[in-house]
Amino acid sequence: MKKLPLILSIVALAGVIALAIVDLTKGNAKNPAPEQIEASAQKGAIVYFNMDRILAEYDMANDLRSVFETKANSINQEVQRRVNKFQKDANSFQDKLNKGLMTQSSAQIQGQKLQEQQASVENYANQKQQEILEEQQVMLNQISDAIKTFVDEYNEQMGYAMILVTQGDILPAPVVSGNAELDITDALIEGLNAAYVKEKGKKE
């Protein structure tokens, strides 16, 4: 019987999941809240806000990210535990095989069990990675819906001709540069957080 090689695909898969979790949970650091001011743009103006700042300073976004990170880290730990268990079993099998401590029939049976274990761990890791992606999408949808709903209601009161959203630090797009009086980011952050506190109060 051919020696069963150490199976590294599981380890690689676990690494991918770990990196995905880190990538999905980036941006959770909350920036210090700026001085909250009223928007000074006039009715009918075209205004804009910075989405990066909204996502960093909106309390609801930070709370949802915190919940997501907890779930993602818990999933990653369980995947890693199963990977480690498989590695230990595979190494033990390989060691016994190298030392001639197993009969050919026993080695065949144990080798088949390890292959089944590998498939089980791979399936579990893939399933959990998909769950993480779905959890992230739900989180993003909740944040996006809350922001869009608030911005629509806000504009009903302010009567702006158009509200643009910009992102990026070095060369933000689509608003590369604009009059500071047209930037309503501070007003939106203040309003979003106030609305979130009010909504949380209703649920408690």
Side-chain angles (χ1 to χ4, degrees):
M1 176 182 174
K2 295 181 179 179
K3 292 184 179 180
L4 180 69
L6 294 178
I7 304 169
L8 301 178
S9 58
I10 297 292
V11 181
L13 184 58
V16 169
I17 292 177
L19 290 175
I21 290 175
V22 171
D23 183 61
L24 296 178
T25 56
K26 280 182 179 178
N28 62 329
K30 186 174 180 181
N31 296 334
E35 180 182 355
Q36 296 173 343
I37 61 175
E38 293 295 331
S40 56
Q42 300 299 312
K43 183 176 181 179
I46 296 177
V47 297
Y48 65 94
F49 66 92
N50 186 306
M51 181 60 82
D52 291 336
R53 281 193 55 208
I54 294 290
L55 293 177
E57 300 175 37
Y58 182 20
D59 292 339
M60 175 184 169
N62 284 303
D63 287 349
L64 289 177
R65 265 197 301 266
S66 179
V67 172
F68 169 75
E69 288 172 19
T70 299
K71 290 182 179 179
N73 287 332
S74 177
I75 288 173
N76 186 52
Q77 288 173 7
E78 177 58 22
V79 170
Q80 190 61 52
R81 185 191 69 78
R82 297 189 181 208
V83 168
N84 291 341
K85 174 66 167 57
F86 171 76
Q87 277 188 300
K88 181 179 178 181
D89 292 345
N91 289 340
S92 176
F93 171 77
Q94 188 70 58
D95 183 60
K96 290 179 181 179
L97 200 62
N98 290 339
K99 294 179 179 178
L101 301 178
M102 303 175 68
T103 64
Q104 183 174 351
S105 60
S106 295
Q108 289 176 342
I109 294 173
Q110 187 62 32
Q112 181 62 36
K113 288 182 178 180
L114 280 174
Q115 289 177 4
E116 293 172 358
Q117 185 179 353
Q118 178 190 14
S120 176
V121 174
E122 286 179 341
N123 289 336
Y124 181 84
N126 287 329
Q127 175 188 343
K128 292 304 178 180
Q129 185 178 32
Q130 183 60 36
E131 287 182 16
I132 289 173
L133 294 175
E134 291 176 0
E135 287 277 359
Q136 185 203 29
Q137 190 58 56
V138 169
M139 176 190 71
L140 294 176
N141 290 343
Q142 290 175 328
I143 296 172
S144 298
D145 181 68
I147 294 174
K148 178 64 166 59
T149 299
F150 180 83
V151 170
D152 287 343
E153 294 174 353
Y154 180 81
N155 199 34
E156 286 181 8
Q157 299 176 9
M158 303 303 294
Y160 297 130
M162 185 181 296
I163 298 179
L164 303 177
V165 59
T166 188
Q167 285 184 287
D169 295 325
I170 298 177
L171 188 64
V175 183
V176 176
S177 180
N179 189 323
E181 293 185 352
L182 300 178
D183 185 350
I184 62 171
T185 306
D186 288 329
L188 290 184
I189 292 172
E190 179 180 3
L192 281 164
N193 286 333
Y196 180 54
V197 169
K198 185 177 180 180
E199 186 63 27
K200 284 178 66 177
K202 291 180 181 179
K203 295 179 180 179
E204 294 178 352

